[in-house]
Amino acid sequence: MNSEEELSYYASFPVFNPKDVVAGKAEMSLDGIKKVLSAMGNPQNKCQIIHVAGTNGKGSTTAFLHQIFQENGYKVGVFNSPMVDHFTEQIQINHQDISLKDLAFYTTEVAQKVKDCGCALTSFETLVCVAYAYFYQSNCDVVLMEVGLGGIQDATNVMEQSLLSIITSISFDHMEVLGNTLAAIAEKKAGIIKEGGMVLSSQQASEVDSVLEKTCQAKEASLHRVKEAQLIQRNVDVQIFAYEGEVYTISLLGTYQIQNASLALEAISLLEKCGWSFDLIKTKQALAHTYWPDRFEIVHRNPDIIVDGSHNLDGFKRLRESLETYYPKQKVTFVMGVLADKKYEEMFQVILPLAKRVYCVNPDNPRALNAEKAKEIVASYGVEAKACTIVEAIDLACQDELVCIFGSLYYVGSAKKILQKIY
C-alpha cells in the first residue's frame, strides 16, 4: 500500500455516527481491535501510556504534557482526534507528524492482520492500531493517548495497564451513547481506570467525583485531584497563574486553560514520585511554548478574529465566559456551524446574548445541522441571522470588529485556510 492508496483506504470507511450505535447499525466493541493487536504482538502493552479521557480539555491537557515531556528530553508519542487540518496530525512523535511512508507501512500491516483474523475494524480502530505499533517501534519513552469517545469501549482503551489515567472536565455530550446523566457519562469515562492504577482528575461536579471515587475503590486505584490555581494576570496575549507556590505563564487563551495546565503540572508531579525527572525551568518554558490550535485562538488582530472548536453545551459556556472576560461588553459577529446531534438549542441560548449577528454555515459532516434551520432558530431569538457558505460567511463577518468562528472542529480548520488567503 502506497501513500495515495493508504489515504484512499481511510477515506473508504463509513463516517462514524453515534446514532448508528443506538440504532444497532454500528457496534462499540473492543473484541476486533484486541484480536488485531494481539496478532501484532500487543504493542500497546509494551508502551508507557498516559491515557486521557473527559468531555472537554483532553486535547489541551495532552498538548501541555506533550510540550513538557519533549522539552525535558523525552521522546513522546501522541495520539489525538479528530483531525483538524490534515490526516497525519493525529499521530505525532515530538510534534512531528507520522510520515505518509510510515502511515502506509503500518496501515498495510494492520490491514493484513485484520484479514488474517477474519474481523473488521473501523477507520478509527485502524488508526489506533497504527499509532500503538508506530510508537512502540519508534521506542517512545512515553505515549499520550487521547480517548475518542467515552472511555470504557473506546478503541484506545486496550492496554492492560497505564502509567496514569487522566480524567479532564466531564459534562454532557454524546448522551445517546454515553447516557443522560453526569453520573452515567462519568461511568463510561471512568472505564479507562486500571486495576491498581493511578488516576488524576480535573475539578468535577459532585456526582462525577462520586463515580470516580467508587470506581477507584473498586479497582484499588489511587485517585488524585488537581488543586486550585491562582490567577495573577490575564490578557489577550498571555495568562499568568500560580500553582503550588510556583508562577507559570501560558500563551493559550480561554479561561479554562489554566485548569488544563494545572492538570498537566499535577500529572508530572505524580510521575516524579514514580521516578520520572522534570526540570522546573524547562517545564515553565514548555507551558509558555505550548500551542494548541482552534481553542479560543486569536488568528487575526484588527479585526480580532477568534477561532474556537467548542461543540457542546459546556464548551459554549466556556466560550461565552472567555469572550466576556477578554472582550467585556462587546457584541460579537459569529460564524457558526454545529452538528445536529448536539443540544444545539440550549447551546444557542448560552451564546446568543453576546451576538451582534450570526452567519450560519454547514460543517463538512453528515451530522451537520442545516444552516437554514440554524438561521431560523437564531432569528427566533431576535438576532440577525443569515445562512451562508463558509467563504461568504467569513467575507461578510470580517467586515466587523470582533468575529468568532465556532461550533465544530469539523470546519474551523477550513475556515482558517480561508482566512489565510484573505489576510
Side-chain angles (χ1 to χ4, degrees):
M1 190 180 292
N2 60 37
S3 300
E4 290 185 5
E5 290 172 337
E6 163 267 318
L7 290 175
S8 298
Y9 178 73
Y10 283 101
S12 70
F13 286 88
V15 177
F16 175 76
N17 189 332
K19 288 185 178 180
D20 291 338
V21 177
V22 180
K25 297 178 182 178
E27 182 182 8
M28 289 188 71
S29 169
L30 301 181
D31 293 343
I33 189 172
K34 283 184 175 180
K35 284 183 183 178
V36 172
L37 285 168
S38 178
M40 296 174 68
N42 284 316
Q44 78 281 9
N45 293 331
K46 301 170 184 176
C47 297
Q48 293 271 49
I49 298 171
I50 296 178
H51 205 184
V52 186
T55 306
N56 293 311
K58 298 189 298 292
S60 299
T61 301
T62 300
F64 282 122
L65 284 170
H66 189 173
Q67 196 72 35
I68 290 171
F69 274 108
Q70 183 175 342
E71 296 206 24
N72 276 277
Y74 293 104
K75 187 175 186 179
V76 51
V78 180
F79 178 80
N80 291 115
S81 66
M83 64 171 258
V84 175
D85 184 64
H86 54 278
F87 191 79
T88 54
E89 71 187 11
Q90 297 172 96
I91 300 176
Q92 296 184 357
I93 294 178
N94 286 11
H95 290 95
Q96 294 296 312
D97 296 353
I98 186 172
S99 68
L100 287 172
K101 180 180 178 181
D102 282 334
L103 185 60
F105 173 81
Y106 288 105
T107 300
T108 301
E109 181 184 5
V110 173
Q112 183 60 52
K113 296 301 182 185
V114 168
K115 184 178 180 180
D116 294 344
C117 293
C119 60
L121 296 187
T122 65
S123 173
F124 184 73
E125 289 170 330
T126 302
L127 200 61
V128 169
C129 291
V130 168
Y132 279 129
Y134 177 60
F135 295 148
Y136 169 64
Q137 293 295 336
S138 300
N139 296 311
C140 289
D141 297 310
V142 64
V143 170
L144 308 177
M145 293 295 294
E146 180 187 324
V147 165
L149 173 62
I152 191 168
Q153 294 292 346
D154 186 74
T156 61
N157 192 31
V158 287
M159 73 290 287
E160 291 179 351
Q161 287 294 328
S162 58
L163 186 63
L164 175 65
S165 299
I166 298 179
I167 312 289
T168 66
S169 174
I170 290 179
S171 57
F172 291 102
D173 201 7
H174 297 297
M175 285 88 77
E176 67 274 25
V177 174
L178 302 180
N180 292 316
T181 67
L182 283 179
I185 294 171
E187 286 181 3
K188 300 293 196 307
K189 307 281 187 184
I192 72 166
I193 296 172
K194 300 295 182 284
E195 293 284 344
M198 187 163 59
V199 183
L200 172 62
S201 173
S202 180
Q203 296 172 4
Q204 307 282 6
S206 58
E207 55 264 55
V208 171
D209 206 48
S210 177
V211 169
L212 297 182
E213 284 186 355
K214 290 178 182 178
T215 305
C216 286
Q217 288 172 2
K219 295 187 176 182
E220 297 184 344
S222 60
L223 176 60
H224 309 266
R225 298 175 179 85
V226 71
K227 302 174 184 66
E228 190 75 36
Q230 292 77 47
L231 174 67
I232 296 174
Q233 182 183 339
R234 173 182 283 144
N235 56 47
V236 293
D237 297 310
V238 297
Q239 299 190 86
I240 303 173
F241 67 99
Y243 188 77
E244 290 289 89
E246 292 290 341
V247 176
Y248 301 90
T249 299
I250 59 175
S251 57
L252 292 188
L253 305 181
T255 54
Y256 46 86
Q257 293 294 9
I258 288 177
Q259 179 169 221
N260 294 331
S262 299
L263 201 58
L265 289 170
E266 191 65 30
I268 66 167
S269 176
L270 292 172
L271 293 176
E272 283 181 319
K273 296 173 184 177
C274 300
W276 292 74
S277 179
F278 298 93
D279 179 81
L280 180 59
I281 294 175
K282 291 179 181 178
T283 296
K284 288 186 175 185
Q285 291 173 342
L287 287 190
H289 295 160
T290 299
Y291 170 69
W292 187 233
D294 307 329
R295 279 72 172 178
F296 207 83
E297 180 184 6
I298 301 177
V299 295
H300 190 268
R301 302 298 301 272
N302 299 317
D304 282 16
I305 304 174
I306 300 159
V307 172
D308 189 275
S310 295
H311 55 278
N312 53 43
L313 183 57
D314 188 59
F316 274 46
K317 290 177 179 177
R318 294 179 180 213
L319 173 59
R320 175 173 175 169
E321 178 184 68
S322 294
L323 285 168
E324 290 178 325
T325 298
Y326 291 100
Y327 300 94
K329 299 180 181 180
Q330 278 191 258
K331 288 292 186 178
V332 186
T333 295
F334 289 112
V335 176
M336 180 180 71
V338 299
L339 301 185
D341 55 7
K342 304 295 182 180
K343 301 174 74 172
Y344 54 83
E345 293 211 37
E346 292 181 43
M347 291 155 62
F348 292 174
Q349 290 172 14
V350 168
I351 206 72
L352 289 181
L354 302 186
K356 180 178 182 180
R357 60 179 61 87
V358 179
Y359 296 106
C360 302
V361 304
N362 289 314
D364 185 18
N365 188 287
R367 294 154 52 199
L369 177 66
N370 180 268
E372 285 289 345
K373 182 175 180 179
K375 182 201 75 172
E376 292 174 5
I377 298 172
V378 172
S380 72
Y381 287 94
V383 177
E384 178 186 341
K386 180 180 175 68
C388 310
T389 65
I390 295 177
V391 173
E392 182 184 11
I394 291 174
D395 183 57
L396 292 169
C398 291
Q399 297 174 30
D400 288 325
E401 295 178 355
L402 178 58
V403 180
C404 180
I405 302 169
F406 78 113
S408 172
L409 284 169
Y410 288 102
Y411 87 101
V412 293
S414 298
K416 286 172 70 173
K417 291 179 180 178
I418 295 168
L419 287 167
Q420 288 170 0
K421 295 179 180 177
I422 298 174
Y423 297 102

